[in-house]
Amino acid sequence: MGIYMTDATSIQPLLDYFNRLIPLSVEEKDLIKSKFHAHLFLKKQFALQHGDVCEYFTFVVRGCMRLYMVDDKGVYHIMQFATENYWILDLTSFHKKIPARLNIDALEDTVVLRITHSDLIDLYLKAPKFDRIFRVLLENHFMHQQQRMTQLFSSTAEERYQLFLETYPHLLNRLSQVQIAAYLGVTPEFLSRIRSRMAKG
Amino acid sequence: MGIYMTDATSIQPLLDYFNRLIPLSVEEKDLIKSKFHAHLFLKKQFALQHGDVCEYFTFVVRGCMRLYMVDDKGVYHIMQFATENYWILDLTSFHKKIPARLNIDALEDTVVLRITHSDLIDLYLKAPKFDRIFRVLLENHFMHQQQRMTQLFSSTAEERYQLFLETYPHLLNRLSQVQIAAYLGVTPEFLSRIRSRMAKG
DNA sequence: AGGTCGTCTTAATCTATATCAATACTTTTT
DNA sequence: AAAAAGTATTGATATAGATTAAGACGACCT
């Protein structure tokens, strides 16, 4: 059941991703190849644990990870899932080099491409185009997060579940109800109730 | 009660702000002077109304504005306040040029410096350093928002109020309880109860 | 000066969601 | 194959916070 890959094949999705934002030169592509490194996480394996410093800016090539916090009562709150072509990291910990308040782990066997903080700074220095690329990337990330926040703020659990179904239909079968509930901000019991209510109503 | 200013005095806080992020050359300072324009909003005046496209990336020099949404039931949810040296805009509307889902208005007479979308693009082209400056600025904005989201997600209204008091002590006297309640995501009645509970307990 | 409007408080009742508990079923581990 | 752990459901009860309503105080119109 092992996942086999060569660097040549695994870097391609990231090159495609960047190229779609802003077309890259050959030199820039080579820079990416030298700075980003592939890594495999097995299901349940941690990429970041609360208290450690987040060392990597991480791109998911294949699989699924979650970014989440555990509150004082031990309840899990999932900020974000990351599947194919999404980014995942604790940005605050990464940039300020302070202990992370968030955790990241794999919900499936997951292949990522990741870059360290110092290599990213070096990338910015060697090719300023990456300042622009990461600016655009952050804009997108921010817009996603803001939409999620307005939603959490102003809708009922049922509305949030409906929107989840519309926005991430492909995730429904990949995630357990426990994970979806932790993303919506409700208990699994209540999500179960919502589903049975929707099935009838 | 009018506010008098010259361009020379009013642009300075923005130059200082940028200069603190990344030192600027004289040419870059001149670019800023030519691209950002001062504007005064009187109390209660709108800077952006739901349905319009957000035309400006806005920096608050003096005063206080709020970024908020109104939900289906007519309830106000404040995403963010912006006082001196903060940015305020509906980023999604601004970048995608689609109708805004958020509103912005002034809670006090407020002086801002703002730049249009096309002038910002032009700024990026003329001085790539601004790609970096706005990348850093967005990182900061994102970190703020993420902290707010984890908070909304995982704490009680009382804990959120406590944290508000610690984080924004200077805002307590500038905002009515109605505004603070809309920021915390509770009704003003319940906030009143929290306060009396805290005063006793 | 009087009226209207916004602000804050307090009380009674209501509701969305949490908690606790029991059961059945499936998957993983040993 | 048995044991253990995770997954989903359903019911009874509890609770954080909403809703509705009323009264008191102050600010701003005209």
Side-chain angles (χ1 to χ4, degrees):
Chain A
M1 197 55 92
I3 293 178
Y4 179 81
M5 60 190 173
T6 65
D7 252 282
T9 56
S10 73
I11 200 88
Q12 197 55 47
L14 182 59
L15 294 177
D16 292 345
Y17 177 94
F18 283 141
N19 215 57
R20 242 173 286 130
L21 288 186
I22 296 171
L24 298 173
S25 69
V26 174
E27 295 77 30
E28 287 157 350
K29 286 183 183 172
D30 286 344
L31 258 177
I32 292 173
K33 283 180 198 161
S34 75
K35 296 294 191 185
F36 279 87
H37 297 286
H39 191 89
L40 166 65
F41 290 100
L42 296 178
K43 187 173 177 174
K44 295 196 182 180
Q45 206 178 340
F46 279 97
L48 172 65
Q49 286 195 65
H50 163 268
D52 294 347
V53 172
C54 181
E55 306 279 5
Y56 300 98
F57 209 113
T58 302
F59 177 83
V60 174
V61 174
R62 188 164 63 247
C64 182
M65 307 193 91
R66 59 175 178 172
L67 175 70
Y68 64 99
M69 68 173 301
V70 184
D71 72 19
D72 308 336
K73 292 169 203 141
V75 179
Y76 284 55
H77 304 275
I78 297 178
M79 320 303 301
Q80 184 209 321
F81 296 112
T83 51
E84 290 71 17
N85 292 319
Y86 279 84
W87 296 92
I88 193 162
L89 78 162
D90 180 336
L91 192 81
T92 306
S93 171
F94 182 81
H95 273 110
K96 298 188 178 174
K97 294 170 181 287
I98 58 177
R101 305 175 63 188
L102 303 177
N103 303 274
I104 299 172
D105 64 15
L107 295 172
E108 305 171 356
D109 292 352
T110 301
V111 179
V112 305
L113 288 161
R114 56 188 195 174
I115 185 170
T116 64
H117 189 271
S118 55
D119 274 345
L120 182 59
I121 300 298
D122 201 41
L123 193 66
Y124 292 146
L125 292 175
K126 292 213 170 95
K129 190 189 280 178
F130 286 102
D131 275 313
R132 179 165 302 172
I133 287 178
F134 276 79
R135 170 175 65 68
V136 172
L137 190 159
L138 274 162
E139 285 164 4
N140 293 337
H141 218 60
F142 185 90
M143 291 188 262
H144 258 110
Q145 196 180 269
Q146 182 149 77
Q147 215 212 327
R148 179 146 164 68
M149 201 170 106
T150 55
Q151 205 195 113
L152 270 176
F153 227 139
S154 67
S155 9
T156 63
E158 177 158 348
E159 289 164 342
R160 282 179 339 250
Y161 182 58
Q162 297 265 20
L163 196 64
F164 174 82
L165 291 181
E166 290 162 25
T167 317
Y168 305 105
H170 60 295
L171 283 185
L172 182 62
N173 307 309
R174 279 170 83 171
L175 300 171
S176 72
Q177 279 188 208
V178 176
Q179 306 305 333
I180 297 174
Y183 178 82
L184 297 177
V186 297
T187 58
E189 292 95 328
F190 192 65
L191 178 54
S192 172
R193 248 162 256 257
I194 288 171
R195 284 165 55 101
S196 72
R197 195 195 300 158
M198 279 170 58
K200 289 169 198 159
Chain B
M1 197 57 90
I3 291 177
Y4 180 82
M5 60 190 170
T6 65
D7 252 283
T9 56
S10 71
I11 201 88
Q12 197 55 48
L14 182 59
L15 295 176
D16 292 346
Y17 177 93
F18 283 141
N19 215 57
R20 240 174 288 128
L21 287 185
I22 296 172
L24 298 173
S25 69
V26 174
E27 295 76 31
E28 286 156 352
K29 286 182 182 172
D30 287 343
L31 258 177
I32 292 174
K33 284 179 198 161
S34 75
K35 295 293 192 185
F36 278 87
H37 298 287
H39 191 88
L40 166 65
F41 290 100
L42 296 178
K43 187 173 176 173
K44 296 195 181 181
Q45 206 178 339
F46 279 96
L48 173 65
Q49 285 195 65
H50 163 268
D52 294 347
V53 171
C54 182
E55 307 277 5
Y56 299 99
F57 209 113
T58 301
F59 177 83
V60 174
V61 174
R62 189 164 62 249
C64 183
M65 307 193 91
R66 60 175 175 170
L67 175 70
Y68 63 99
M69 67 173 301
V70 184
D71 71 19
D72 308 337
K73 292 169 203 142
V75 180
Y76 284 56
H77 303 276
I78 297 178
M79 318 304 300
Q80 183 209 323
F81 296 113
T83 52
E84 290 71 17
N85 291 319
Y86 278 85
W87 297 93
I88 194 162
L89 77 161
D90 180 336
L91 193 81
T92 306
S93 171
F94 182 81
H95 273 111
K96 297 188 178 174
K97 295 170 181 285
I98 58 177
R101 305 175 64 188
L102 303 178
N103 303 273
I104 299 173
D105 63 16
L107 294 172
E108 304 171 356
D109 293 352
T110 301
V111 179
V112 305
L113 288 162
R114 56 188 194 173
I115 185 169
T116 65
H117 189 271
S118 54
D119 274 346
L120 183 58
I121 300 299
D122 201 41
L123 192 66
Y124 291 145
L125 292 175
K126 291 211 170 97
K129 191 189 280 179
F130 286 102
D131 275 314
R132 180 165 301 172
I133 288 179
F134 275 79
R135 171 175 63 69
V136 172
L137 189 159
L138 275 163
E139 284 164 5
N140 294 336
H141 218 60
F142 184 91
M143 291 187 261
H144 258 111
Q145 197 181 265
Q146 182 148 79
Q147 214 212 328
R148 179 147 164 66
M149 201 171 106
T150 56
Q151 206 194 113
L152 270 175
F153 226 138
S154 66
S155 8
T156 64
E158 177 158 348
E159 288 165 342
R160 274 166 2 234
Y161 182 59
Q162 297 265 20
L163 197 63
F164 174 81
L165 291 181
E166 289 162 25
T167 318
Y168 306 105
H170 59 295
L171 284 185
L172 183 61
N173 307 310
R174 280 170 83 171
L175 301 172
S176 71
Q177 278 188 209
V178 176
Q179 306 304 332
I180 297 174
Y183 178 81
L184 297 177
V186 296
T187 59
E189 292 93 331
F190 192 65
L191 178 54
S192 173
R193 220 156 274 250
I194 288 171
R195 284 165 56 101
S196 73
R197 196 195 299 158
M198 279 171 54
K200 288 168 197 160

